[in-house]
Amino acid sequence: GQVQSPLFYLYASIIEKAFGVTFLKYSYLFISSIIPVIFYISLKKKFTGINKNILFLLSLIIFLSPYFRSSAAWITTDNFGIFFFILSVNKYLDFEKKNTNQNILLCIFYISIAVYIRQYYIIFFFFYFFKFFKILKLKKIFNLIFLIIIIFIPFIIYYYHFFKVNNIHQSLGKNTFDI
């Protein structure tokens, strides 16, 4: 199975304990419903010559996905990861138009959260890094690498411990769910 970071579940449990399960469900539904809006904004930035009504209808197609709707209803990690991924794409598109530190930092911050939630977004993290590498000066690249190392230290520690515990259980002939 896929290894999932506990970040999302930790966040959800904190919200649930503080505000209740009903608030958690409605706030997650709200976050999920914002995804097509951010997607629409990103489409407008990328495709400036296309009719905005067409882009709007295209962004609403997300609601037709049963996977998207069930993730919103069952509070899974999927839509939360998509939310931060779409935010990172939005900031990357801003970076393409205006190369600012804020756009770079927010793009890296959002994709980092997406990677913490759903690890397969790491591919886009590398894409962003190579795009930044081609454009930025050497000093900014070193600052970016330092930032990335700082952001991913907890990720590396978590996975080191996860695989260490998982390997111990496999060598003992136990499944990790038999603890």
Side-chain angles (χ1 to χ4, degrees):
Q2 180 183 354
V3 178
Q4 290 189 13
S5 167
L7 179 71
F8 172 78
Y9 301 107
L10 178 66
Y11 169 75
S13 69
I14 290 170
I15 296 296
E16 183 180 348
K17 286 180 184 174
F19 302 105
V21 71
T22 303
F23 179 82
L24 174 65
K25 288 180 180 181
Y26 284 118
S27 62
Y28 192 74
L29 192 61
F30 177 73
I31 288 171
S32 294
S33 65
I34 291 175
I35 292 171
V37 174
I38 300 168
F39 184 50
Y40 170 67
I41 292 168
S42 299
L43 287 172
K44 282 191 338 185
K45 289 177 183 178
K46 184 65 180 171
F47 304 105
T48 54
I50 296 181
N51 185 329
K52 292 179 183 174
N53 292 331
I54 293 171
L55 297 177
F56 180 72
L57 288 174
L58 185 61
S59 69
L60 293 179
I61 290 175
I62 294 172
F63 286 121
L64 297 177
S65 167
Y67 185 75
F68 175 81
R69 292 191 319 261
S70 65
S71 179
W74 290 102
I75 310 176
T76 67
T77 60
D78 303 309
N79 286 2
F80 207 56
I82 290 170
F83 176 75
F84 284 104
F85 171 67
I86 292 290
L87 285 174
S88 77
V89 168
N90 196 15
K91 282 298 148 191
Y92 177 75
L93 293 172
D94 287 343
F95 167 79
E96 282 186 330
K97 290 184 180 186
K98 189 173 182 185
N99 179 342
T100 66
N101 288 341
Q102 181 181 2
N103 288 333
I104 295 168
L105 292 175
L106 286 174
C107 179
I108 294 297
F109 177 72
Y110 292 141
I111 196 66
S112 298
I113 293 174
V115 169
Y116 268 105
I117 295 168
R118 301 294 286 186
Q119 290 72 39
Y120 49 71
Y121 290 116
I122 194 78
I123 300 290
F124 297 99
F125 188 88
F126 291 125
F127 168 79
Y128 292 149
F129 182 77
F130 288 122
K131 287 291 191 173
F132 294 148
F133 187 80
K134 287 175 23 181
I135 295 170
L136 299 176
K137 294 183 179 171
L138 194 58
K139 183 179 178 185
K140 279 191 176 184
I141 291 170
F142 282 124
N143 289 341
L144 185 61
I145 291 171
F146 180 72
L147 174 69
I148 291 167
I149 290 170
I150 296 298
I151 287 173
F152 281 105
I153 285 175
F155 186 78
I156 293 166
I157 292 170
Y158 170 75
Y159 278 95
Y160 170 77
H161 287 293
F162 175 83
F163 287 116
K164 182 178 173 184
V165 168
N166 199 19
N167 286 337
I168 290 170
H169 286 290
Q170 285 179 352
S171 66
L172 295 174
K174 295 182 179 179
N175 188 341
T176 54
F177 298 110
D178 293 339
I179 298 176

